[in-house]
């Protein structure tokens, strides 16, 4: 048996970073009602709707809206027919992330290289065309029912993809600029399997490791390993539940999502105070840590640029490590089921994930879990 931790920590070489991912091109949610989901991201989180595909554009299968905020692109898609795969997915999981699409230069190479290393293919290299050019994609499976779509836009100049028409709707930006990380929840005992997948199949390496000691409270324990690509721009932490006195927050997710899936998407803001104030004013709900958190915070993290009173007023969390500090906040679940949520993050040198906040955060989370009858 190979030692997964050791192999995952092997330094990246040219060969290991064979995928050369350009960006997270988009995240596609499969939802029950794309029009209403579009309004949530638009009026709530400040994404601008930029493209649409549906009956009016000749798409008789599904309705999709493409939304952008800074470099972040979300797509929400819902089926017209109850027999569609999208409808079945939504029935089983509720709303959730289906595609984590990665921009690459060569979708054929990405497909061949990953499937040769053991990835399960979803579709092989494929071209779709319209008057705006040619879009190239291929796709492989990852944890749960989530897939990685490889996408090459070099020869495509349209709004999003063939079959989509541009929308002209007013921007309501809230300052969300880029995807910082996308976290997956997997079953107990499966974290190392997916860590190994991202290392062996995708050429990622392990950046960090959190165990029970770091992030256990009495109840909400989890284990987490952070995988990152060769460029360091793409970060995919993988969580699994850890044994606690009662139900782990990861178990609650797995029970309600009916399996593994995307737990949270962290998005960077250059001014988290302004972003969170705006989001709160629009009705976005965030987890609240106990007030005592702020009594101890100055001692724990030292000097920061932002005024303490403002940080406390907005309920923002602060953590510091050797490289700097970070500001972060977590939303309540963004759909009926206690599954996916959003993190807003502003980094000042720190490349961490807010380890120092885990305890306070999980205690806040457990209060909510208890209110849902799931502890
Ligand atoms: Fe996070």
């Amino acid at each position: 048996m190979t030692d997964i931790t050791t192999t995952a920590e092997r330094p990246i070489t040219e060969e290991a970073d064979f995928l050369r991912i350009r960006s997270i091109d988009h995240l596609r949610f499969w939802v029950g009602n794309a029009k209403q989901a579009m309004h949530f991201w638009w009026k709530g989180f400040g994404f601008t709707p930029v493209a649409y595909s549906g009956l009016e554009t000749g798409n008789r299968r599904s309705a999709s809206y493409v939304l952008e905020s800074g470099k972040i692109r979300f797509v929400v898609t819902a089926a017209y027919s109850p027999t569609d795969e999208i409808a079945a997915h939504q029935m089983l999981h509720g709303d959730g992330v289906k595609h984590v699409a990665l921009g690459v230069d060569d979708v054929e190479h990405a497909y061949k290289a990953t499937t040769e290393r053991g990835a399960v293919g979803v579709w092989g290299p494929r071209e779709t065309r319209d008057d705006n050019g040619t879009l190239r994609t291929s796709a492989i499976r990852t944890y749960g029912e989530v897939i990685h779509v490889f996408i090459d836009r070099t020869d495509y100049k349209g709004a999003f993809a063939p079959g989509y028409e541009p929308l002209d709707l007013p921007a309501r930006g809230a300052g969300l600029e880029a995807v910082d990380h996308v976290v997956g929840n997997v079953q107990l005992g499966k974290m190392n399997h997916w860590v190994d997948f991202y290392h062996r199949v995708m050429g990622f390496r392990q950046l960090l490791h959190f165990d029970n000691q770091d992030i256990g409270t009495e109840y909400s324990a989890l284990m987490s390993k952070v995988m990152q690509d060769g460029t360091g721009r793409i970060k995919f932490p993988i969580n699994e539940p850890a044994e606690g006195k009662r139900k782990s927050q990861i178990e609650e997710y797995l029970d309600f999502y009916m399996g593994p899936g995307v737990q949270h998407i962290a998005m960077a803001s250059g001014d988290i105070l302004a972003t969170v104030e705006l989001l709160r004013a629009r009705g976005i709900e965030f987890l609240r840590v106990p007030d005592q958190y702020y009594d101890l915070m100055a001692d724990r993290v030292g000097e920061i640029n932002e005024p303490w009173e403002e940080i406390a007023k907005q309920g923002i969390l602060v953590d510091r490590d050797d490289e700097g500090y970070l500001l972060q906040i977590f939303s309540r679940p963004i759909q009926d089921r206690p599954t996916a949520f959003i993190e807003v993050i502003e980094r000042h040198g720190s490349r961490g994930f807010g380890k120092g906040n885990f305890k306070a955060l999980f205690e806040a989370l457990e209060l909510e879990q208890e209110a849902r009858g799931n502890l």
Side-chain angles (χ1 to χ4, degrees), residues 163-307:
Y164 285 76
E165 286 179 7
L167 289 175
D168 186 19
L169 291 165
R172 295 171 50 87
L176 297 172
E177 293 169 354
V179 173
D180 187 275
H181 56 277
V182 179
V183 183
N185 278 348
V186 302
Q187 302 99 326
L188 181 65
K190 292 286 192 229
M191 175 178 69
N192 282 338
H193 170 84
W194 291 106
V195 163
D196 188 47
F197 169 88
Y198 278 103
H199 175 62
R200 195 170 37 81
V201 173
M202 307 276 287
F204 284 39
R205 65 183 158 150
Q206 189 178 316
L207 177 67
L208 289 165
H209 174 201
F210 304 106
D211 64 22
N212 226 347
Q213 306 304 314
D214 299 317
I215 42 186
T217 65
E218 234 178 311
Y219 305 131
S220 234
L222 63 83
M223 311 240 273
S224 187
K225 287 183 177 175
V226 181
M227 300 305 289
Q228 111 177 337
D229 78 324
T231 68
R233 283 195 298 265
I234 316 287
K235 294 187 207 74
F236 293 154
I238 306 288
N239 297 336
E240 74 173 25
E243 295 293 335
K245 274 199 183 153
R246 290 162 82 183
K247 189 182 264 187
S248 160
Q249 56 172 297
I250 309 304
E251 256 178 284
E252 186 194 33
Y253 176 102
L254 295 168
D255 286 352
F256 278 85
Y257 201 67
M258 309 297 287
V262 171
Q263 181 212 34
H264 75 268
I265 302 160
M267 299 188 276
S269 165
D271 184 351
I272 195 171
L273 279 170
T275 296
V276 171
E277 189 175 5
L278 200 53
L279 296 184
R280 282 191 188 280
R282 292 177 183 176
I284 302 298
E285 301 170 304
F286 294 96
L287 290 183
R288 267 274 174 206
V289 293
D291 290 342
Q292 300 92 295
Y293 173 88
Y294 294 98
D295 300 340
L296 305 169
M297 191 169 69
D299 282 345
R300 186 164 64 79
V301 299
E303 199 73 3
I304 61 168
N305 300 338
E306 295 73 14

